Amino acid sequence: MDITKYPVAYRRNEQHGLSRIIITVYAVHGGYAYGVNCKLGKFIKSTYQQSGETPATTVLSARLKVAEIIKSWADEQPSLKKYLRQFDIIDCRQQELFD
């Protein structure tokens, strides 16, 4: 399943210097699927929700899942944490404050 063909329910594109995080939430079959494109310094990674994963029930829960994924990348590579500190979309559990 190519989730990028579904309608976009939410998109956030935040950039600081040459680092950028783009979060996209797609409305799929009664739920929401996520995609994230991330460039932090020299680290570049994109991931999308796999077709076997259960879609999130709300846009906010899909966005929180993306935040967890990005934080896990920083846990694997601690040098990324200095870049992540610049981003509002990762820093707060109350994501609606940044909409």
Side-chain angles (χ1 to χ4, degrees):
M1 168 174 86
D2 181 11
I3 65 168
T4 61
K5 294 181 180 180
Y6 288 92
V8 173
Y10 172 83
R11 180 178 298 249
R12 175 75 185 246
N13 182 348
E14 187 174 342
Q15 182 171 353
H16 297 280
L18 298 176
S19 295
R20 174 182 278 183
I21 297 176
I22 303 170
I23 295 173
T24 309
V25 176
Y26 302 92
V28 297
H29 308 300
Y32 299 94
Y34 61 82
V36 60
N37 298 303
C38 184
K39 180 183 183 304
L40 300 170
K42 294 182 180 182
F43 175 85
I44 299 173
K45 192 160 186 172
S46 292
T47 190
Y48 293 88
Q49 184 167 328
Q50 301 301 311
S51 59
E53 290 183 62
T54 305
T57 55
T58 65
V59 172
L60 180 59
S61 61
R63 292 166 53 195
L64 290 173
K65 176 67 176 168
V66 170
E68 290 173 15
I69 290 169
I70 295 170
K71 287 179 182 180
S72 74
W73 294 339
D75 289 341
E76 294 169 10
Q77 296 186 27
S79 62
L80 299 179
K81 290 182 181 183
K82 69 179 179 182
Y83 297 105
L84 281 179
R85 288 186 191 109
Q86 302 171 350
F87 288 89
D88 293 334
I89 57 179
I90 301 303
D91 194 35
C92 185
R93 300 278 301 165
Q94 292 179 311
Q95 297 291 319
E96 62 274 7
L97 297 176
F98 297 100
D99 292 337

